Amino acid sequence: MNTLNKTKNIINKFNIRANKRYGQNFLVDNDILENIVEVSDITNKDLVIEIGPGLGNLTEYILERAGYTLLVEIDNKMIDVLNDRFKNKSNYTLINQDILKVNIDEIVNKIQKENNIKFNKVKVVANLPYYITTPIIFKLLEDENVIDDIIVMVQKEVAQRMVAKPNSKDYGILTLMVNYFSNAKIEVIVPNSSFIPQPDVTSAVITLNKTRKYNVNNEKLFFELIHKAFAQRRKKMINSLESNKFNNMSKNDIENLFVKCNLDLNTRAEQLDILDFINIINNID
Ligand code: SAM
């Protein structure tokens, strides 16, 4: 039975109504599901974390391939469906929680210890709830050290922001954070007809391979710089930094810093690439 018909059966059996508040749009397109697991390159030596498994359409593909799977779903109605659908599977843990409140590092380390195994790679594979895409991505990049790769469906515009180039409207905080922590690539654009119910937006699958490419003297200050530089993105960056009290520096101090870094004093944040931002930080005494 194809995924669309399976989904319709589950919806009838469990009397499901997609909950908009939780961003529930179920992926029912077999080609896209296959494409996601293919680009995820899941092996039986990997631990896969799926955020928001929902009715289990993507989960079914993941469970077939992964060595172990961790599912984190906020909606207890979905938990009943998943427990029933995968009652014959054993190599997974299902947690009924808000992903933003879960300490993934801790749970993955516990699973490895209990099973006396060290997974080759830890991958997040998910069709994310769009209302909290950015906080989830920031958490996976910044806070969760065990994660190697992230393969997620997001709104197309968000994917474009992740891979944007300087001097474009999409370029900003998300671009720089993604670039700082990973190599990003848009894999496929997905029409809204691939989901039920259909979302209003087009989607995209993006892969983020986590890697450390840059040396920054003070990471905390680097994140502060990015946020404050783009706080008023149409202003000159010096003015945005001053009015947002970057590093408690005076306008004069900031101007001197720009001169030291060979930057035009009229520069706007969107004109600088990541190496310029890093150079600013590494030139602060
Ligand atoms: N994976 C399913 C699929 O592809 O058909 C469902 C994807 S749907 C876009 C997003 C899922 O994330 C829903 O099942 C929703 O209940 C769940 N979700 C929403 N907010 C969440 C949160 N804060 N933590 C964990 N899961 C969440």
Side-chain angles (χ1 to χ4, degrees):
M1 199 191 302
N2 73 15
T3 303
L4 177 60
N5 290 333
K6 255 190 212 172
T7 308
K8 285 180 176 166
N9 283 350
I10 291 173
I11 285 177
N12 283 336
K13 180 172 169 194
F14 287 85
N15 197 15
I16 301 285
R17 297 179 110 241
N19 190 335
K20 266 199 162 175
R21 196 159 59 93
Y22 286 146
Q24 288 175 353
N25 301 99
F26 304 111
L27 185 55
V28 291
D29 183 327
N30 286 77
D31 291 342
I32 301 294
L33 285 160
E34 270 161 33
N35 190 292
I36 293 173
V37 287
E38 195 174 304
V39 298
S40 305
D41 193 23
I42 301 168
T43 77
N44 60 8
K45 295 194 168 55
D46 296 335
L47 182 144
V48 172
I49 301 160
E50 191 191 299
I51 299 165
L55 302 176
N57 292 351
L58 180 56
T59 320
E60 187 164 303
Y61 285 78
I62 295 170
L63 288 176
E64 259 173 38
R65 293 161 176 82
Y68 200 90
T69 307
L70 173 63
L71 306 169
V72 182
E73 171 59 59
I74 199 168
D75 185 353
N76 44 24
K77 192 101 207 205
M78 299 295 137
I79 300 291
D80 294 340
V81 175
L82 294 161
N83 277 328
D84 180 68
R85 184 165 177 177
F86 302 116
K87 55 179 177 280
N88 296 326
K89 295 272 181 185
S90 56
N91 58 337
Y92 75 95
T93 297
L94 173 57
I95 300 179
N96 184 196
Q97 263 194 55
D98 177 348
I99 185 63
L100 295 178
K101 297 190 179 134
V102 172
N103 184 332
I104 294 176
D105 277 356
E106 212 174 274
I107 296 174
V108 169
N109 287 329
K110 195 166 158 242
I111 292 173
Q112 298 202 111
K113 222 171 166 184
E114 280 174 4
N115 293 277
N116 199 16
I117 185 170
K118 172 93 181 71
F119 294 105
N120 188 22
K121 285 205 163 182
V122 176
K123 299 175 177 178
V124 170
V125 181
N127 170 17
L128 291 181
Y130 292 177
Y131 74 105
I132 44 167
T133 300
T134 314
I136 293 175
I137 295 290
F138 279 6
K139 174 183 163 71
L140 300 178
L141 292 175
E142 272 186 80
D143 303 340
E144 306 291 1
N145 295 315
V146 291
I147 293 169
D148 298 296
D149 300 325
I150 302 166
I151 302 96
V152 281
M153 176 97 71
V154 297
Q155 193 176 328
K156 185 179 112 193
E157 284 72 20
V158 176
Q160 285 169 334
R161 279 165 48 210
M162 290 187 195
V163 298
K165 298 277 178 262
N167 295 307
S168 68
K169 70 169 176 31
D170 289 335
Y171 184 71
I173 299 168
L174 183 62
T175 323
L176 288 159
M177 292 297 277
V178 163
N179 182 347
Y180 182 66
F181 284 105
S182 72
N183 291 326
K185 182 178 170 232
I186 294 181
E187 302 288 354
V188 62
I189 303 294
V190 183
N192 62 356
S193 56
S194 297
F195 305 85
I196 55 167
Q198 292 190 8
D200 298 330
V201 295
T202 303
S203 302
V205 176
I206 189 160
T207 52
L208 310 177
N209 298 118
K210 283 178 84 173
T211 167
R212 290 302 189 122
K213 301 168 273 184
Y214 305 111
N215 280 322
V216 178
N217 290 350
N218 183 337
E219 211 168 61
K220 199 163 163 263
L221 199 58
F222 172 66
F223 300 149
E224 183 187 330
L225 174 69
I226 292 172
H227 282 84
K228 294 190 170 170
F230 282 95
Q232 288 141 303
R233 64 181 292 147
R234 274 179 292 275
K235 275 192 177 180
K236 289 179 193 172
M237 183 164 137
I238 284 180
N239 292 337
S240 186
L241 292 180
E242 188 213 357
S243 56
N244 289 285
K245 301 194 169 41
F246 168 66
N247 199 27
N248 287 321
M249 289 166 80
S250 68
K251 184 159 186 185
N252 201 23
D253 289 341
I254 301 171
E255 282 176 352
N256 288 338
L257 181 58
F258 268 52
V259 171
K260 198 171 163 191
C261 297
N262 282 325
L263 292 174
D264 188 315
L265 300 183
N266 294 318
T267 303
R268 281 178 292 120
E270 66 186 35
Q271 296 173 294
L272 299 186
D273 68 20
I274 193 162
L275 293 174
D276 294 317
F277 285 98
I278 292 170
N279 197 29
I280 293 173
I281 294 301
N282 290 351
N283 272 288
I284 295 175
D285 302 318

